[in-house]
């Protein structure tokens, strides 16, 4: 039954919608955590340490964090694979271009496709920069996330990559949230306006919340 559901277009859209909502919940929590950087070094580093001790003593050190990471990896892979397969299926279903182009639909599709690719590449860079420290500038310091964040956003390329990715994220959420709601049956004539408003507000708040950190470093508010 699982294979039958996955092979269907509706099944892939459902997987894409659910995995997208899982990632959206994580992004909201992640943004709130990031904003703690404005309360100083001690507060931010204490928060980073807390993430590794959540659930103790029932959970071992970092077990909860790794559980969250596994769930996110599954969500990202499921989202990307279903999006790619749906895109290929759509191309095969209409190999020739429409006589009359659907500008709004085509724009949304291109935005989601390229936005997804940009975000995928950003995730890889972000992990290598602030999790493993592989591409980090200024010398990565384990256990000192505040200093690592300041190092990253003290470089022009760190700011450029991050802000560009967050703008892509905002556009992705704006269209993706509404699409997920339609897929999961939440949409209707009476609720569509509210759903679109919610999508716009979420996209705007998350974009501003994430971009606030590099801007804070650039302006010296965070140093």
């Amino acid at each position: 039954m699982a294979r039958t559901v996955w092979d269907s277009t509706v099944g892939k859209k459902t997987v894409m919608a659910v995995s997208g909502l899982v990632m959206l919940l994580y992004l909201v929590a992640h943004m709130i955590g990031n904003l703690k950087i404005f309360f100083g070094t001690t507060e931010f580093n204490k928060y980073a340490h807390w993430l590794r001790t959540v659930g103790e003593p029932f959970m071992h050190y970092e077990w909860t964090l790794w559980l969250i990471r596994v769930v996110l990896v599954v969500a990202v892979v499921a989202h990307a694979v279903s999006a790619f397969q749906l895109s290929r299926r759509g191309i095969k279903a209409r190999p020739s271009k429409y006589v009359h182009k659907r500008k709004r639909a085509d724009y949304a599709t291109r935005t989601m496709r390229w936005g997804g690719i940009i975000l995928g590449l950003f995730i890889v860079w972000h992990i290598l920069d602030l999790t493993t420290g592989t591409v980090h500038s200024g010398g990565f310091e384990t256990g000192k996330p505040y200093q690592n964040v300041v190092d990253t956003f003290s470089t022009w390329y760190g700011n450029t990559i991050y802000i560009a990715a967050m703008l892509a994220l905002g556009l992705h959420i704006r269209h993706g949230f509404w699409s997920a709601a339609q897929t999961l049956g939440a949409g209707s004539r009476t609720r569509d306006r509210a759903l679109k408003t919610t999508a716009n507000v979420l996209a705007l708040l998350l974009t501003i919340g994430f971009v606030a950190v590099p801007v804070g470093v650039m302006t010296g508010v965070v140093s």
Side-chain angles (χ1 to χ4, degrees):
M1 183 178 292
R3 182 58 185 270
T4 301
V5 171
W6 171 249
D7 285 341
S8 69
T9 298
V10 173
K12 292 183 188 299
K13 286 185 176 181
T14 301
V15 168
M16 193 173 176
V18 172
S19 60
L21 291 176
V22 168
M23 290 186 286
L24 180 60
L25 289 173
Y26 167 77
L27 286 170
V28 172
H30 188 41
M31 180 199 69
I32 294 171
N34 280 2
L35 293 176
K36 285 182 176 288
I37 200 168
F38 290 99
F39 293 95
T41 307
T42 301
E43 186 74 16
F44 191 69
N45 288 348
K46 186 190 297 183
Y47 161 69
H49 177 71
W50 173 80
L51 287 175
R52 288 158 174 76
T53 60
V54 174
E56 288 187 341
F58 178 74
M59 298 291 279
H60 192 60
Y61 183 75
E62 286 196 343
W63 278 12
T64 302
L65 183 59
W66 274 106
L67 180 61
I68 293 171
R69 286 169 175 168
V70 170
V71 171
L72 283 172
V73 168
V74 171
V76 169
V77 171
H79 197 75
V81 171
S82 55
F84 175 76
Q85 293 185 353
L86 283 169
S87 177
R88 299 301 300 171
R89 186 169 291 185
I91 292 172
K92 288 181 180 179
R94 47 177 175 79
S96 58
K97 293 184 178 179
Y98 292 111
V99 175
H100 302 288
K101 291 185 178 180
R102 300 180 302 166
K103 291 184 179 179
R104 300 181 75 178
D106 289 345
Y107 173 75
T109 300
R110 288 197 303 271
T111 299
M112 292 298 286
R113 183 182 299 132
W114 286 107
I117 293 172
I118 290 170
L119 291 171
L121 293 173
F122 168 75
I123 289 171
V124 174
W125 175 81
H126 196 50
I127 291 172
L128 293 175
D129 178 36
L130 291 175
T131 301
T132 66
T134 308
V135 298
H136 185 74
S137 62
F140 185 79
E141 298 182 71
T142 304
K144 295 184 178 180
Y146 185 96
Q147 186 57 51
N148 293 332
V149 170
V150 171
D151 286 343
T152 290
F153 297 131
S154 295
T155 63
W156 68 267
Y157 58 86
N159 289 317
T160 302
I161 293 171
Y162 192 89
I163 292 174
M166 293 307 100
L167 293 176
L169 176 67
L171 290 173
H172 206 75
I173 291 172
R174 181 174 178 270
H175 180 69
F177 180 83
W178 186 83
S179 296
Q182 301 304 310
T183 298
L184 298 175
S188 69
R189 285 186 176 181
T190 56
R191 289 196 292 264
D192 274 358
R193 177 171 292 183
L195 287 170
K196 287 182 178 179
T197 301
T198 302
N200 290 335
V201 170
L202 270 173
L204 183 62
L205 289 177
L206 284 168
T207 302
I208 292 174
F210 281 117
V211 169
V213 178
V215 171
V217 175
M218 283 189 287
T219 57
V221 175
V222 176
S223 63

